[in-house]
Amino acid sequence: GGKTIVIPNNRLLGRSQQIFNLRCPTSGLTRLKLMDSSGRVLIELFAESMEAGQHKVLTWDGKDSSGNYLPSGVYTAVVVAADGHIYKQNFMIIR
């Protein structure tokens, strides 16, 4: 049981990788998207079926879906769980 948890590191320094920890509360399709401050989806990092309680560690290279490095700013990691619940966590990129 328990909530879905997405915990990005506090900041992404330069072009190093960002780590996301994801724990799934319910079985089924789970998605992790990164959005900018206007709510635009920049990239979908993960879209797979997960079992309840399953844990994933995802590594992101700091690029959007077009392969461009995102500029400094505040972004939001959004998890959409199989049961329809949405969980959000803000994080910063510092270039």
Side-chain angles (χ1 to χ4, degrees), residues 60-77:
W60 174 56
D61 61 7
K63 297 178 183 178
D64 64 15
S65 58
S66 299
N68 301 309
Y69 284 104
L70 297 180
S72 295
V74 177
Y75 297 89
T76 304

Side-chain angles (χ1 to χ4, degrees), residues 5 10 15 17-19 26 30-31 33 39 43 48 58 64-65 73 79 84-85 91-92 95:
I5 299 174
N10 288 333
R15 293 183 172 168
Q17 295 178 328
Q18 178 74 48
I19 304 298
T26 56
T30 303
R31 297 178 181 274
K33 302 175 184 184
I43 190 168
E48 292 182 20
L58 305 169
D64 64 15
S65 58
V79 174
H85 282 89
F91 66 99
M92 290 179 64
R95 296 264 184 237

Side-chain angles (χ1 to χ4, degrees), residues 36-52:
D36 63 15
S37 58
S38 68
R40 184 172 57 104
V41 175
L42 301 169
I43 190 168
E44 185 170 79
L45 287 183
F46 182 82
E48 292 182 20
S49 184
M50 291 179 71
E51 296 299 320

Side-chain angles (χ1 to χ4, degrees), residues 6-7 13 28 57 62 65 71 85:
V6 178
I7 307 173
L13 297 173
V57 177
S65 58
H85 282 89

